[in-house]
């Protein structure tokens, strides 16, 4: 697995001390105005921001790239992201590169993402991979609240350790909670606690000894049986061609599509996310998936 710049650990000049942690908040609001989806609300505190709205697909879909200038998250950092999409708006959000969660010096790092979608809106939440360094202590929360026929498609890639430099995830922990609601009804709830070096790292019910996992969740207009079968076959073919030892699967549970990848390659995980997204987007949004330019740089 190649992780390029992500394999560079923070130095004393770039990493913050335990006493100098970041409290960062980003609040964004998308709405339909003047025949376009527009980023009408944008406020931030600390090192989280969006520089400008982008329209590589035309006015109907607003692309926004979330930037975290420090380049990595250290022990004690707290990041909070709030995104709201008003009726009729369509936003696609991603990041310029891998998120890096550095070794903790005794404090956990926290990230909370709250996404609110009004009826008739669409949000595609597609950050690039997250790299959990050895001895990191990470706590992640994601809440998605949908109203009416709002549609959500979101992905996540987790890389444990830095394989290219021989680092394994032998110390530290990762805690995750993900919930999706529609009209105050809970559609999906998932939570887990992964302790580095524990049996879960090798268990058939855990990582099975692999170092990279990816999940894609979709709520809205979902594939029919034939489309689901085509998706499963395409996912399996990708693994057969690029990483025969990886495991993939997809199913629909309580009106939420859940697709998963488990393997050892961040490149294959990214290709897998793109493939699943390219299958689902036309079904959900009636538009072909156009790869964001930032993914190719």
């Amino acid at each position: 697995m190649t992780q390029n710049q992500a394999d560079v650990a923070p130095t004393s000049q770039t990493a913050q001390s335990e006493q100098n942690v970041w409290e960062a908040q980003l609040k964004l609001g998308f709405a339909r105005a003047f025949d376009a989806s527009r980023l009408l609300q944008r406020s931030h505190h600390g090192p989280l921001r969006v520089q400008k709205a982008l329209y590589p697909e035309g006015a109907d879909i607003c692309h926004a790239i979330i930037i975290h200038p420090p380049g990595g998250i250290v022990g004690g950092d707290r990041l909070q992201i709030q995104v709201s999409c008003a009726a009729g708006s369509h936003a696609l959000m991603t990041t310029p590169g891998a998120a890096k969660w550095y070794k903790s010096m005794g404090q956990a790092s926290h990230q909370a993402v709250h996404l609110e979608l009004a009826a008739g809106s669409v949000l595609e939440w597609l950050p690039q991979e997250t790299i959990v360094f050895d001895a990191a202590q990470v706590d992640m929360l994601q809440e998605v609240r949908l109203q009416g026929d709002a549609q959500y498609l979101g992905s996540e890639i987790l890389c444990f350790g830095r394989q290219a430099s021989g680092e394994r995830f032998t110390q530290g922990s990762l805690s995750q909670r993900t919930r999706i609601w529609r009209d105050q009804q809970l559609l999906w709830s998932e939570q887990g606690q992964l302790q580095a070096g524990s049996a879960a790292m090798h268990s058939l019910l855990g990582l099975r000894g692999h170092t990279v996992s990816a999940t894609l969740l979709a709520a809205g207009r979902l594939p029919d049986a034939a489309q689901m079968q085509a998706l499963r076959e395409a996912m399996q073919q990708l693994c057969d061609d690029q990483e025969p030892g990886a495991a993939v699967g997809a199913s629909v549970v309580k009106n939420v599509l859940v697709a998963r990848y488990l393997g050892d390659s961040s490149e294959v995980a990214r290709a897998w996310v793109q493939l699943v997204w390219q299958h689902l987007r036309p079904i959900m949004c009636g538009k072909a998936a156009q790869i964001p330019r930032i993914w190719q740089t």
Side-chain angles (χ1 to χ4, degrees):
M1 178 176 64
T2 302
Q3 293 171 346
N4 300 323
Q5 72 275 15
D7 286 320
V8 180
T11 67
S12 58
Q13 285 75 34
T14 59
Q16 296 154 280
S17 69
E18 193 172 351
Q19 292 76 30
N20 185 26
V21 298
W22 289 115
E23 293 275 353
Q25 294 91 36
L26 178 66
K27 190 172 185 179
L28 305 173
F30 297 88
R32 187 80 181 177
F34 303 106
D35 295 322
S37 293
R38 299 186 183 275
L39 178 56
L40 296 183
Q41 180 184 15
R42 177 172 50 187
S43 63
H44 74 270
H45 171 76
L48 271 179
R49 61 199 65 194
V50 166
Q51 290 186 327
K52 66 176 182 178
L54 303 170
Y55 293 92
E57 302 181 74
D60 285 342
I61 305 174
C62 182
H63 288 225
I65 300 172
I66 297 178
I67 298 171
H68 182 237
I73 303 161
V74 302
D77 283 1
R78 291 180 176 271
L79 278 60
Q80 183 171 342
I81 300 171
Q82 295 177 267
V83 179
S84 63
C85 294
S89 64
H90 185 162
L92 184 152
M93 306 195 66
T94 188
T95 56
K100 298 179 281 291
W101 295 74
Y102 292 138
K103 176 180 178 179
S104 170
M105 301 301 291
Q107 301 182 63
S109 306
H110 302 269
Q111 176 177 281
V113 177
H114 299 276
L115 310 174
E116 300 269 353
L117 282 68
S121 68
V122 180
L123 176 61
E124 299 172 84
W125 177 263
L126 302 169
Q128 297 198 56
E129 66 265 35
T130 294
I131 301 173
V132 183
F133 281 48
D134 189 30
Q137 295 184 32
V138 179
D139 179 70
M140 305 174 74
L141 166 69
Q142 182 163 320
E143 289 268 3
V144 183
R145 293 190 175 269
L146 311 173
Q147 296 295 326
D149 60 350
Q151 299 201 86
Y152 169 76
L153 190 155
S155 67
E156 176 184 68
I157 300 172
L158 295 173
C159 305
F160 295 94
R162 297 171 292 155
Q163 301 305 304
S165 59
E167 179 187 277
R168 307 289 292 186
F169 187 59
T170 60
Q171 303 177 71
S173 64
L174 172 74
S175 175
Q176 280 188 298
R177 290 154 291 158
T178 302
R179 291 188 285 265
I180 301 176
W181 306 75
R182 188 180 296 279
D183 297 326
Q184 288 74 56
Q185 180 180 358
L186 184 62
L187 297 181
W188 180 258
S189 179
E190 182 175 20
Q191 62 182 2
Q193 175 80 30
L194 182 65
Q195 191 73 33
S198 68
M201 299 288 292
H202 300 278
S203 167
L204 292 178
L205 300 178
L207 293 181
R208 303 183 188 181
H210 291 293
T211 58
V212 181
S213 69
T215 300
L216 188 145
L217 301 174
R221 290 190 291 273
L222 298 179
D224 59 26
Q227 292 167 330
M228 283 293 295
Q229 183 59 29
L231 172 61
R232 294 186 182 107
E233 291 174 359
M235 291 193 305
Q236 189 59 55
Q237 188 62 55
L238 174 72
C239 289
D240 290 345
D241 292 342
Q242 298 190 29
E243 190 187 2
V248 292
S251 59
V252 175
V253 181
K254 295 184 178 180
N255 297 315
V256 175
L257 184 146
V258 184
R260 299 195 191 275
Y261 158 93
L262 187 60
D264 295 289
S265 169
S266 59
E267 287 89 350
V268 175
R270 286 195 298 269
W272 175 86
V273 166
Q274 289 185 22
L275 182 146
V276 178
W277 175 55
Q278 287 172 322
H279 272 255
L280 294 181
R281 200 195 207 208
I283 297 168
M284 298 181 69
C285 309
K287 297 180 182 294
Q290 180 172 321
I291 304 299
R293 181 188 297 180
I294 195 71
W295 292 2
Q296 303 172 28
T297 58

